[in-house]
């Protein structure tokens, strides 16, 4: 998609969003191509998306629930266990 710099400045957020979704935005000045805006896809969800697409994971749409792990009081501290394991 080719747009003028003036149009780009007027609707910056819309064009950045389009670029992030995969569209290449070509910017013109006086009808000459001066730049290309190419989005960077969000990397934080790519791994999860791949797992869902492969069927290796499922998601019910809700927020994650905490682990059902309960720590018992009176045991060794984690730092003590790490020091013991190192030595």
């Amino acid at each position: 998609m080719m747009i003028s710099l003036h149009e780009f400045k007027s609707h910056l957020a819309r064009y950045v969003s389009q670029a992030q979704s995969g569209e290449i935005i070509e910017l013109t000045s006086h009808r000459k191509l001066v730049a290309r805006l190419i989005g960077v896809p969000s990397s934080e969800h790519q791994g999860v998306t791949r797992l869902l697409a492969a069927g290796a994971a499922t998601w019910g749409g809700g927020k994650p629930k905490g682990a059902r792990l309960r720590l018992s009081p009176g045991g060794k501290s984690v730092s003590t266990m790490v020091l013991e394991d190192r030595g």
Side-chain angles (χ1 to χ4, degrees):
M1 164 189 295
M2 292 184 87
I3 59 167
S4 69
L5 286 174
H6 177 70
E7 171 71 13
F8 178 70
K9 289 190 293 185
S10 298
H11 303 286
L12 176 67
R14 176 176 44 172
Y15 291 119
V16 169
S17 178
Q18 288 177 350
Q20 188 176 14
S21 67
E23 190 167 348
I24 297 174
I25 309 294
E26 295 182 323
L27 305 175
T28 62
S29 177
H30 303 285
R31 299 180 188 213
K32 292 183 183 178
L33 182 64
V34 294
R36 283 192 184 94
L37 180 65
I38 301 171
V40 177
S42 176
S43 63
E44 63 186 53
H45 298 294
Q46 285 181 352
V48 173
T49 303
R50 256 191 313 243
L51 290 173
L52 292 172
T58 60
W59 178 48
K63 290 185 176 181
K65 304 222 186 295
R68 291 183 171 80
L69 177 65
R70 300 279 184 224
L71 300 176
S72 60
K76 292 181 182 179
S77 69
V78 173
S79 58
T80 301
M81 289 188 283
V82 168
L83 289 173
E84 288 175 354
D85 193 42
R86 289 182 184 172

